[in-house]
Amino acid sequence: MKRIIALCLTCVMTLGLFAGCSASPDGASSGNAASGSAPASSSAPANSSSGANAPAEAPYEVNFLYVVASTGSNMDKVRAQVNELALREINMSVNLIPMIFSEFQTQLPMMLAANESLDLFLIAPGLASTYIESQYIVNVEPYLDRVDNIKKYVGDFISAGYVGDFLTGFPIMRERSMPLGLAVRKDILNELGYSADDFQIDSNDISSYDQLLKLFAEVKAAHPEMTVFDGTVMIPSQVTASFVDGRGNNFGVLANYGQDTTVTNVYESEMFRDFCNIMKTWYDSGYSSQDLAVNTDSGEVKMKAGNTFSILLSFKPNTVQEKLSQTGYELEIIPLSDRLTRSSNAAIFAVANASKDPAKAVEFFDWAYGSAEFTDLINWGIEGEDWVENADGTASYPDGVTASNVGYHQDMGWMYPNQFAGHQWEGNPPDILEQYNAFNNSATFSKAFGFAFDSRAVVDEIVQLTAVEKQYLKDLSTGVVDVDATLEEFNKALYVAGLQKVMDEKQKQLDAWLAQQ
């Protein structure tokens, strides 16, 4: 029964992993998952830097599941070159398992339940304890001596993967905070005589949002045919992810950018009520799309259609370049929140309990983390056919190749082991890695960073709470319902579903963890 519940949680909650990302985005013997000891590997570790001391036995086949935007006509060529590269450098073959995001959401839970052959796959930290309970993943702490490349890039952030003394996997290389921003079309903003720097929004002062109300009125007056604000898929999770630390879900959070250590209900906070009222004003004023609550398209899709001025998103150093390629428009970002780093900001590649040799899987992942050629292959495809290197060291399409006819092109490095190991696409500055490091280092760390909530004692309650949240949250956070009455009804339903029990369990675990720091 608990395995079934875990599958339900996986299907419902996986989307939250990618709330801050681009919108285009967890056996062998079950004893492996529960024990802290390392199973015997079939060989000594391969040299993850050069492969010079590769073992002589038959190559180990790694089953590597990763998310793609599409497969394309060059998928088989990518498979062949990845295999050739891995065989040459670490004496491993690779079974690439590409999945578009909708397949990832539906097929991964079934693969795990069926114990299908799998070595590495992406998980959200908030789901880690359900994977542990279901014995879907291996504790990789015994293999920390095999991950020099990962340690080089990730450093202390590797602790984000822990649930107690169980290391669930290794973080991918991406932004470590997800500040909320309003992305607006630069051409229209400039037409009205503004730049993003003209707007100073204070998340603690609701009156500061009047600046946006004034801007929206001017946009509507100048372009009555335009939808001023649109795109709803990520709104609820973006907002709560930006301001509070929920330790993987919103059922009991640490407010004030994780600086408060008392677990509270975010949906009873003035901050959340204020946000709902802002969205209500935008909707009632005719600035938001009237199908906001039922729309299934991302803001990027809406903007690309040419009739949308602004969307909500979580931003990072190269968001403007990313969104240009996704929407066709130059954008500016108006920040709406500060930067918060939580353990659950990490997306993690875990080793499946179905892995025949977890040590080999870890060694492969560490090699992948440091391999520019592997990164370029799974992200950009075949050099010379799908991409070429520019004089400035960035990548671009070859002559005659476009987004519509390219044989393989993902632009999803933020969901791969280490997007900075390979080439950056044209338009990104050469020092983008340094910009990411500065961005990450400037964030406020939650006081619970490194603490992972073990939800196994309250799995049933979280399933029920997730259903309640799904029933109310989108309508509330898009402004289509009466805020006060619906919030009251929503919170009553949350407590009936067991919110207090979950909050008490979080507080108990957090207090014990803080006492040991």
Side-chain angles (χ1 to χ4, degrees):
M1 176 60 68
K2 290 202 171 184
R3 288 168 70 89
I4 294 171
I5 292 172
L7 289 180
C8 295
L9 276 172
T10 301
C11 293
V12 172
M13 297 173 64
T14 299
L15 183 62
L17 168 63
F18 308 111
C21 303
S22 305
S24 312
D26 150 87
S29 152
S30 63
N32 290 350
S35 70
S37 59
S41 172
S42 59
S43 71
N47 185 324
S48 61
S49 304
S50 66
N53 298 320
E57 80 279 1
Y60 178 73
E61 182 181 63
V62 177
N63 296 291
F64 180 78
L65 191 157
Y66 70 116
V67 179
V68 296
S70 62
T71 50
S73 59
N74 270 354
M75 185 70 234
D76 286 343
K77 289 185 179 181
V78 170
R79 294 181 195 275
Q81 288 202 16
V82 166
N83 267 284
E84 180 184 343
L85 177 67
L87 282 167
R88 181 174 70 246
E89 296 199 356
I90 54 172
N91 194 41
M92 296 190 197
S93 62
V94 184
N95 175 29
L96 291 179
I97 309 174
M99 286 188 182
I100 62 173
F101 190 64
S102 59
E103 292 174 342
F104 177 76
Q105 289 180 281
T106 58
Q107 292 187 25
L108 175 61
M110 293 187 289
M111 290 178 67
L112 294 172
N115 204 36
E116 291 186 26
S117 295
L118 187 60
D119 285 281
L120 291 153
F121 65 101
L122 199 64
I123 70 170
L127 299 174
S129 58
T130 63
Y131 291 130
I132 296 170
E133 174 73 6
S134 300
Q135 298 183 336
Y136 288 155
I137 60 176
V138 171
N139 183 0
V140 297
E141 186 178 55
Y143 311 112
L144 282 174
D145 60 343
R146 303 168 186 250
V147 293
D148 292 341
N149 285 322
I150 297 173
K151 290 175 181 176
K152 173 184 174 183
Y153 281 94
V154 173
D156 292 342
F157 202 76
I158 204 166
S159 65
Y162 276 101
V163 174
D165 60 358
F166 193 110
L167 184 57
T168 58
F170 303 107
I172 61 178
M173 191 62 190
R174 55 180 263 187
E175 71 277 9
R176 304 299 186 209
S177 63
M178 297 190 295
L180 186 67
L182 186 75
V184 301
R185 276 179 46 177
K186 182 178 181 180
D187 57 341
I188 296 176
L189 193 66
N190 293 166
E191 172 193 324
L192 297 174
Y194 296 114
S195 73
D197 292 338
D198 294 322
F199 301 90
Q200 304 298 319
I201 307 300
D202 181 353
S203 59
N204 295 312
D205 179 9
I206 188 174
S207 67
S208 68
Y209 285 82
D210 290 344
Q211 301 169 64
L212 300 180
L213 202 59
K214 179 176 180 292
L215 171 64
F216 284 2
E218 293 184 33
V219 172
K220 195 65 177 178
H223 295 276
E225 79 288 353
M226 179 163 286
T227 301
V228 182
F229 175 78
D230 208 345
T232 69
V233 173
M234 300 293 190
I235 287 176
S237 51
Q238 281 172 331
V239 170
T240 49
S242 300
F243 297 97
V244 299
D245 186 354
R247 315 313 311 137
N249 60 56
N250 295 319
F251 309 128
V253 305
L254 304 183
N256 188 27
Y257 295 98
Q259 301 311 292
D260 296 346
T261 57
T262 299
V263 176
T264 58
N265 176 13
V266 66
Y267 299 126
E268 288 180 308
S269 69
E270 284 302 309
M271 180 274 294
F272 188 74
R273 182 182 296 272
D274 287 346
F275 169 75
C276 292
N277 281 321
I278 290 167
M279 299 304 296
K280 178 71 172 168
T281 299
W282 292 3
Y283 184 82
D284 289 347
S285 300
Y287 302 140
S288 300
S289 168
Q290 294 303 291
D291 68 350
L292 204 59
V294 296
N295 168 51
T296 58
D297 288 328
S298 69
E300 289 82 358
V301 168
K302 291 283 193 172
M303 189 168 279
K304 186 175 183 178
N307 199 42
T308 295
F309 170 68
S310 68
I311 60 176
L312 277 180
L313 47 65
S314 297
F315 65 93
K316 54 188 178 180
N318 59 336
T319 292
V320 169
Q321 290 86 359
E322 256 184 13
K323 299 309 170 188
L324 175 60
S325 66
Q326 292 172 3
T327 68
Y329 291 100
E330 287 190 77
L331 305 182
E332 290 195 32
I333 309 295
I334 300 173
L336 303 181
S337 77
D338 296 334
R339 300 171 188 171
L340 166 64
T341 293
R342 315 168 300 166
S343 294
S344 50
N345 283 139
I348 288 170
F349 265 94
V351 175
N353 203 39
S355 173
K356 294 182 175 65
D357 194 335
K360 285 290 192 183
V362 169
E363 289 162 15
F364 169 82
F365 190 70
D366 187 65
W367 167 79
Y369 221 91
S371 173
E373 194 170 349
F374 172 80
T375 302
D376 285 335
L377 279 166
I378 65 169
N379 204 19
W380 310 127
I382 305 301
E383 184 174 8
E385 296 185 26
D386 302 315
W387 67 278
V388 293
E389 183 180 70
N390 299 323
D392 64 357
T394 60
S396 65
Y397 292 121
D399 290 341
V401 176
T402 67
S404 61
N405 66 12
V406 67
Y408 184 100
H409 182 91
Q410 306 307 331
D411 198 5
M412 298 184 72
W414 40 273
M415 293 181 71
Y416 299 159
N418 180 8
Q419 61 183 311
F420 299 113
H423 287 75
Q424 303 305 307
W425 201 251
E426 64 180 347
N428 286 294
D431 66 341
I432 187 62
L433 176 56
E434 288 73 19
Q435 289 190 28
Y436 262 73
N437 286 334
F439 180 84
N440 290 338
N441 292 336
S442 67
T444 297
F445 273 65
S446 167
K447 289 188 176 179
F449 180 82
F451 164 71
F453 176 51
D454 186 344
S455 62
R456 285 177 284 180
V458 288
V459 167
D460 293 349
E461 287 77 13
I462 290 178
V463 170
Q464 295 174 53
L465 289 166
T466 301
V468 172
E469 193 178 53
K470 185 177 181 180
Q471 177 182 352
Y472 289 96
L473 189 52
K474 195 168 188 181
D475 285 350
L476 267 171
S477 59
T478 52
V480 302
V481 292
D482 178 82
V483 172
D484 290 339
T486 309
L487 261 180
E488 182 178 0
E489 185 179 328
F490 178 32
N491 279 296
K492 284 182 179 178
L494 287 172
Y495 283 108
V496 169
L499 177 60
Q500 191 62 54
K501 181 178 178 180
V502 176
M503 290 169 58
D504 290 346
E505 182 65 23
K506 276 190 181 181
Q507 189 72 65
K508 181 180 74 172
Q509 292 183 27
L510 176 62
D511 289 345
W513 180 83
L514 288 171
Q516 295 175 352
Q517 303 310 302

